[in-house]
Amino acid sequence: MAALSLQCSERSRRADEASREVDERYRAAWMEQHVGGEFDGVVSGVTSFGLFVELDDSKVNGLVHVTQLSNDFYHFDPIRKTLTGERRGREYRLGDRVRIVVLKASLEERKIDFRLVEERDAGAPPPPPRGQPAKRKKAKY
């Protein structure tokens, strides 16, 4: 009976793994058709090498590699699970709403790469770090 239980557990794990692999391949194949497209999503993971973003409509997950973040050097805080820019103070954390562009989707590697869409004009000043109010311009009358 113990041998049968062990065999049953092992086969169940292999079936779960195969199911996850099929899902990953399906999502990558679907995203290959949307390379260059923009989507809204939520930061679902923060690591030292980038941000994982889950898209709102499709629930597809992809990576915004740290090299794809704006011109800054980002520090990873493993306790707070944040990436913070050294110069500009821009902080990314779990649950942040973002807009992304699909850069690459690889069916073979089962990986999807994103880049963040900048929310401001190129000539606009950078956003203030979290917790600090934005500076307001004086009105001209």
Side-chain angles (χ1 to χ4, degrees):
M1 195 56 123
L4 288 174
S5 296
L6 182 62
Q7 182 182 18
C8 185
S9 293
E10 184 179 301
R11 297 249 167 109
S12 178
R13 280 192 293 273
R14 286 176 55 195
D16 287 343
E17 189 175 310
S19 177
R20 276 192 295 276
E21 185 175 324
V22 167
D23 285 346
E24 289 171 359
R25 285 182 184 272
Y26 176 75
R27 289 177 178 151
W30 187 77
M31 289 307 289
E32 278 182 335
Q33 302 169 16
H34 294 88
V35 171
E38 292 187 9
F39 298 89
D40 292 317
V42 175
V43 174
S44 61
V46 181
T47 67
S48 60
F49 55 86
L51 307 168
F52 285 97
V53 176
E54 181 178 285
L55 303 183
D56 291 344
D57 296 333
S58 62
K59 303 302 182 200
V60 168
N61 273 295
L63 174 69
V64 176
H65 195 270
V66 71
T67 58
Q68 294 297 326
L69 296 174
S70 61
N71 295 332
D72 207 341
F73 183 80
Y74 286 85
H75 295 280
F76 175 61
D77 182 342
I79 308 256
R80 295 177 50 226
K81 300 285 188 200
T82 60
L83 277 175
T84 306
E86 189 173 282
R87 287 184 280 140
R88 295 188 178 150
R90 176 69 169 112
E91 182 179 82
Y92 297 99
R93 61 182 177 194
L94 290 175
D96 281 351
R97 306 271 322 143
V98 293
R99 184 149 182 91
I100 60 91
V101 173
V102 181
L103 289 181
K104 178 184 170 189
S106 171
L107 185 60
E108 296 80 27
E109 296 176 10
R110 299 184 314 267
K111 293 182 180 178
I112 302 166
D113 294 328
F114 297 149
R115 178 178 51 83
L116 292 180
V117 174
E118 290 297 321
E119 298 147 2
R120 59 184 175 79
D121 296 337
R130 289 192 188 272
Q132 294 182 7
K135 292 181 182 178
R136 296 184 180 193
K137 293 182 179 180
K138 292 183 181 180
K140 295 181 182 179
Y141 295 103

